[in-house]
Amino acid sequence: MYRYDQYDQALVDARVDEFRDQVKRRLAHEITEDQFKPLRLMNGLYLQLHAYMLRVAIPYGTLSGTQMRILGGIARKYDRGYGHFTTRQNIQYNWIKLEQAPDLLAELAAVEMHAIQTSGNCIRNISSDQFAGSAADEVADPRPYAELLRQWSSFHPEFSFLPRKFKIAVTASDHDRAAVKLHDIGLQLHRNAAGELGFRVFVGGGMGRTPFIAPVIREFIPVSQYLSYCEAILRVYNRYGRRDNIYKARIKILVHEIGAEEFTRQVEAEWALLEPLALDAPTAEYERIKAQFAPPAYDAAAPDSIDRSDPDFAVWVDHNVAAHKVPGYAIATISLKPVGGIPGDASAEQMELIADLAAKYSFDEIRVTHSQNLVLADVRKDQLHALWSALAAADLATPNLDLVTDIIACPGLDYCALANARSIPVAQSIAVRFANLDRQHDIGELKIKISGCINACGHHHAGHIGILGVDRKGEESYQLSLGGSGAEDTSLAKILGPGFSEEGVVDAVEKVIEAYRALRLNPQERFLDAYRRVGAEPFKEAVYG
Amino acid sequence: MVDVQDSVKLAQNPHPRATPATAAVLRWRDDVAFDGPVVAFADFGGDSNAAAVRVDPADDARALVPHLARLRLIEVSFPKYRDGRGYSAARILREAGYTGELRAAGDVLVDQINFMRRVGFDSFAPAKPLNPDDVAAALARFPHVYQKAADAAAPVWALRHG
């Protein structure tokens, strides 16, 4: 994976010094909270319901075992023993003390990590496919391009005061594990007819209160020019994105209001002016970064079979292990969704264990997924059982990837100052209701996503079943939506009908699922496919009938 | 090279908007500051003889490109520091070859000044006075840059492969 050189390190260290100075001025009351707010937000520090929350960037969701061990140590030292992995492939700590934040950032900087641009109206952490580099279906490793984007977007002088936050995702396969069409910019690496590498450029996707699926604005931009092309997109957005209404300030609204064709014309016109300025990093820089993502030393003699004689292990393999491009290896997903747990939470001890297991079984590397799980991407098939045993002992081997209990949930009203309703208890109640593994496996792939407010951090628009918590006359109420997807078949979920109480929504989910089981053509027909085939009516009937 | 003009001198500046609210102008230029009238963008017709113009956030700075040769001062206003359109305006003007004074005026804060220098501003008229020592510290804080902009700083990729 990417390692900092002297330049990267000097910049991150300078940022820590700057923030230490700003916190000192704040604690000495030399600056007001109003003046301090934009400064702390540039460093990922939010003031939440009960305490400061710090969001740490995990660029494109890739981190080393060493970094994970430090994240665990930070959870113990500065938080209450937990960290929360997010849908942006980052980690958040919910109980941070302001006076300790500079020391925390210094500990991160010592292992080449930071919280730069994890909040604020700027280009946020770049996200990517959690299987990047190991996926059997990718055209090339997207991470060197994501790292180049990270560097280009860090401390960008023109784009640090955009109309609103800006999220870029990069992927390299037709099977979309990064939800690229639901980002401000989605970049899909592919080859043109001549066999050259370039990006398909999606712009203007997003969730929030006005969800949109991003249109393609350019089928192919060569990899040697994608940075300047992004620069052109950002400039058009910075100049013409709406600033009169925070809820209409994302780029998706601009693209929607002027139309994808006109937006494309403006970007192309801007790019024609920018392209000659040689803004793109040279090929040598790409090669330098790519060398750091060189494939690890795979053992060509690793046996290409898995001993499935342990039935519990076999179930985990069936659900949580994916195909690797190298024979003898597999990709293992560590579920952070134990029944009754908080989706995405990991304790300090779990993080330290995962760090050890990554060092032992997966070339010291870990990935964070946008569905709030972790991945060891390079595990020998003949070591999967040993890995599983160690994970199971720490409650990390729940075989529920993409099943009904693998729920995405935002922090909700338990932590978040923006939330209208709690998300975590709803996720917990649904998981408990469907705790039986045989039942989960019978239901099959079913992605439930829960947001505690209209900002949609829990991706409810992209849920096969989406749940949105709203405030209805002082009471928490939950709306049920069906038919969303964040994968390559991206679609937006549609509201089924009137909302429910917390307990009522769990019952409604169960009714929807039982209706699906009754009407599916066969057990292989997923819930999403069945819904697309029959429409909402049978489910409305089952829930409200 | 910071040349901090005092507010007394500024009071003689006929520019009607900047005078009352502006405490001091910080300049990174060796030439003599333009002292004439600054016209609003809307009044700056192609046939005007104005040598200075004020660009508000919603104005299209690119419309000035045909007239850059006769402009000595372009003042880009920042009514709120959060409105970042002026950063693009500045860079567009520099990319088009403008070499005259480019001034950021209004809600200009010390924590933004480094970015403003990078997109091409070479003078500043902050609504609230800035401490020159804080400005110097802010400009010296970051030893490298990751991307090209309108300044001369070489991005780290150029240093790595220089």
Side-chain angles (χ1 to χ4, degrees):
Chain A
M1 58 179 280
Y2 186 73
R3 297 299 313 267
Y4 284 4
D5 68 0
Q6 55 177 326
Y7 302 110
D8 301 304
Q9 192 66 54
L11 281 164
V12 169
D13 288 346
R15 181 54 158 240
V16 175
D17 289 344
E18 179 187 52
F19 190 58
R20 192 181 292 284
D21 181 52
Q22 290 163 345
V23 169
K24 199 172 99 189
R25 285 191 278 150
R26 174 69 191 117
L27 291 173
H29 301 287
E30 289 172 26
I31 51 176
T32 66
E33 171 56 22
D34 268 2
Q35 291 168 319
F36 181 59
K37 185 178 174 183
L39 308 179
R40 63 172 166 75
L41 285 180
M42 287 284 179
N43 290 283
L45 198 63
Y46 288 76
L47 187 55
Q48 292 289 27
L49 286 178
H50 312 293
Y52 283 101
M53 181 273 279
L54 180 74
R55 182 180 297 144
V56 177
I58 301 175
Y60 32 92
T62 295
L63 74 166
S64 69
T66 304
Q67 291 172 327
M68 181 65 95
R69 198 168 290 110
I70 293 296
L71 292 180
I74 285 172
R76 185 179 293 111
K77 189 167 167 186
Y78 299 99
D79 197 282
R80 297 183 179 177
Y82 285 88
H84 180 74
F85 290 95
T86 78
T87 57
R88 296 285 309 152
Q89 302 177 294
N90 293 321
I91 186 169
Q92 292 178 182
Y93 296 103
N94 284 313
W95 302 98
I96 297 304
K97 293 183 181 72
L98 178 59
E99 58 271 29
Q100 293 184 332
D103 287 342
L104 196 172
L105 292 183
E107 286 200 34
L108 288 173
V111 291
E112 303 172 14
M113 298 188 86
H114 60 74
I116 296 163
Q117 291 174 210
T118 58
S119 55
N121 292 336
C122 53
I123 303 170
R124 303 288 190 90
N125 187 36
I126 312 297
S127 58
S128 187
D129 182 351
Q130 69 268 17
F131 293 173
S134 302
D137 57 357
E138 71 184 12
V139 296
D141 190 340
R143 291 173 300 168
Y145 300 104
E147 171 60 24
L148 260 177
L149 277 168
R150 181 191 75 84
Q151 298 191 20
W152 163 77
S153 61
S154 292
F155 311 110
H156 197 295
E158 186 178 342
F159 306 132
S160 290
F161 296 93
L162 296 167
R164 198 77 179 84
K165 58 190 172 182
F166 202 91
K167 300 172 180 179
I168 304 176
V170 189
T171 187
S173 66
D174 287 330
H175 188 60
D176 182 6
R177 287 171 288 262
V180 293
K181 288 177 238 173
L182 295 171
H183 281 76
D184 296 293
I185 295 179
L187 296 170
Q188 184 191 359
L189 199 60
H190 70 124
R191 288 187 191 280
N192 65 6
E196 297 154 338
L197 272 179
F199 288 100
R200 181 174 291 125
V201 184
F202 299 88
V203 178
M207 292 187 262
R209 67 182 60 206
T210 323
F212 284 110
I213 297 169
V216 175
I217 72 155
R218 199 179 227 268
E219 194 55 39
F220 189 85
I221 183 82
V223 290
S224 58
Q225 297 178 305
Y226 76 114
L227 288 178
S228 57
Y229 200 76
C230 287
E231 192 116 19
I233 295 168
L234 263 299
R235 179 173 287 175
V236 170
Y237 171 55
N238 190 43
R239 300 187 74 203
Y240 299 112
R242 287 183 61 173
R243 293 174 185 266
D244 59 324
N245 180 339
I246 187 175
Y247 301 117
K248 296 187 175 181
R250 296 287 290 269
I251 195 173
K252 62 190 175 186
I253 303 293
L254 174 65
V255 173
H256 177 71
E257 286 184 351
I258 68 175
E261 202 176 320
E262 170 60 15
F263 179 79
T264 305
R265 190 194 64 74
Q266 293 187 17
V267 170
E268 293 287 333
E270 192 65 53
W271 188 59
L273 295 168
L274 288 175
E275 198 273 331
L277 300 178
L279 301 174
D280 286 279
T283 307
E285 175 65 354
Y286 164 73
E287 294 294 340
R288 182 190 75 88
I289 293 172
K290 186 184 165 206
Q292 304 193 49
F293 289 101
Y298 295 118
D299 181 354
D304 196 32
S305 61
I306 300 171
D307 178 355
R308 299 170 53 92
S309 54
D310 180 336
D312 288 343
F313 168 65
V315 167
W316 181 76
V317 169
D318 287 341
H319 287 279
N320 288 35
V321 174
H324 196 287
K325 65 183 177 187
V326 175
Y329 285 81
I331 303 172
T333 297
I334 299 169
S335 171
L336 295 182
K337 316 290 180 65
V339 168
I342 296 175
D345 264 23
S347 68
E349 293 71 27
Q350 285 176 324
M351 285 188 257
E352 286 160 351
L353 173 73
I354 290 165
D356 292 344
L357 295 174
K360 196 167 174 184
Y361 296 117
S362 197
F363 300 99
D364 201 35
E365 197 177 296
I366 301 151
R367 317 289 178 81
V368 183
T369 82
H370 84 270
S371 53
Q372 302 179 282
N373 292 312
L374 301 176
V375 164
L376 298 182
D378 298 290
V379 183
R380 277 174 67 123
K381 286 182 176 173
D382 62 356
Q383 293 182 336
L384 277 171
H385 189 272
L387 169 65
W388 170 79
S389 304
L391 290 172
D395 201 19
L396 289 167
T398 311
N400 64 345
L401 185 65
D402 295 338
L403 299 180
V404 61
T405 60
D406 184 8
I407 299 169
I408 290 180
C410 72
L413 197 52
D414 292 296
Y415 294 101
C416 179
L418 299 173
N420 299 120
R422 291 168 300 155
S423 307
I424 293 165
V426 176
Q428 290 169 323
S429 298
I430 293 172
V432 168
R433 182 73 62 93
F434 292 95
N436 183 297
L437 262 179
D438 291 337
R439 190 179 183 196
Q440 289 185 51
H441 294 154
D442 174 71
I443 296 165
E445 181 183 308
L446 208 175
K447 299 182 182 181
I448 297 182
K449 308 189 181 192
I450 306 173
S451 304
C453 83
I454 201 158
N455 292 311
C457 296
H459 295 187
H460 65 278
H461 297 298
H464 297 181
I465 297 178
I467 297 172
L468 168 64
V470 295
D471 177 270
R472 187 127 301 158
K473 294 172 190 150
E475 298 279 320
E476 290 166 275
S477 173
Y478 296 89
Q479 289 177 350
L480 200 59
S481 299
L482 303 183
S485 170
E488 59 279 8
D489 58 350
T490 310
S491 58
L492 301 172
K494 290 196 174 69
I495 293 177
L496 193 64
F500 304 91
S501 67
E502 181 183 334
E503 198 183 309
V505 79
V506 181
D507 292 337
V509 166
E510 188 165 31
K511 284 174 187 167
V512 165
I513 289 173
E514 287 311 313
Y516 150 70
R517 286 183 65 245
L519 63 76
R520 66 185 173 188
L521 293 175
N522 54 55
Q524 283 71 49
E525 188 183 40
R526 300 180 304 163
F527 169 83
L528 182 62
D529 299 323
Y531 173 84
R532 286 172 174 171
R533 178 171 57 80
V534 303
E537 276 313 314
F539 299 102
K540 267 187 196 160
E541 183 65 25
V543 173
Y544 301 103
Chain B
M1 294 228 298
V2 181
D3 160 27
V4 182
Q5 300 178 350
D6 62 33
S7 52
V8 177
K9 186 173 175 190
L10 257 164
Q12 297 157 1
N13 187 326
H15 177 205
R17 291 258 310 221
T19 310
T22 302
V25 171
L26 290 78
R27 284 183 99 235
W28 273 261
R29 297 183 65 91
D30 293 327
D31 57 353
V32 177
F34 176 74
D35 213 19
V38 180
V39 305
F41 182 86
D43 301 329
F44 184 84
D47 56 353
S48 159
N49 288 319
V53 61
R54 188 182 69 250
V55 177
D56 287 329
D59 297 334
D60 178 13
R62 199 163 262 143
L64 297 175
V65 168
H67 316 291
L68 294 180
R70 68 174 162 88
L71 279 167
R72 289 188 53 201
L73 169 66
I74 302 176
E75 185 181 282
V76 177
S77 70
F78 286 84
K80 292 180 201 155
Y81 80 85
R82 288 185 197 84
D83 190 333
R85 285 177 283 187
Y87 294 87
S88 288
R91 208 168 148 209
I92 283 167
L93 292 166
R94 290 303 190 205
E95 283 168 2
Y98 176 63
T99 55
E101 181 166 343
L102 190 55
R103 178 181 294 170
D107 197 11
V108 173
L109 309 176
V110 68
D111 296 286
Q112 274 85 62
I113 214 151
N114 188 37
F115 287 160
M116 288 183 165
R117 289 285 290 132
R118 291 217 60 214
V119 296
F121 288 109
D122 55 11
S123 86
F124 301 89
K128 289 180 195 157
L130 302 179
N131 178 335
D133 292 339
D134 292 346
V135 171
L139 289 173
R141 178 73 74 183
F142 290 95
H144 309 293
V145 299
Y146 271 127
Q147 61 295 96
K148 276 193 174 179
D151 58 351
V156 290
W157 52 253
L159 303 178
R160 282 164 177 153
H161 304 284

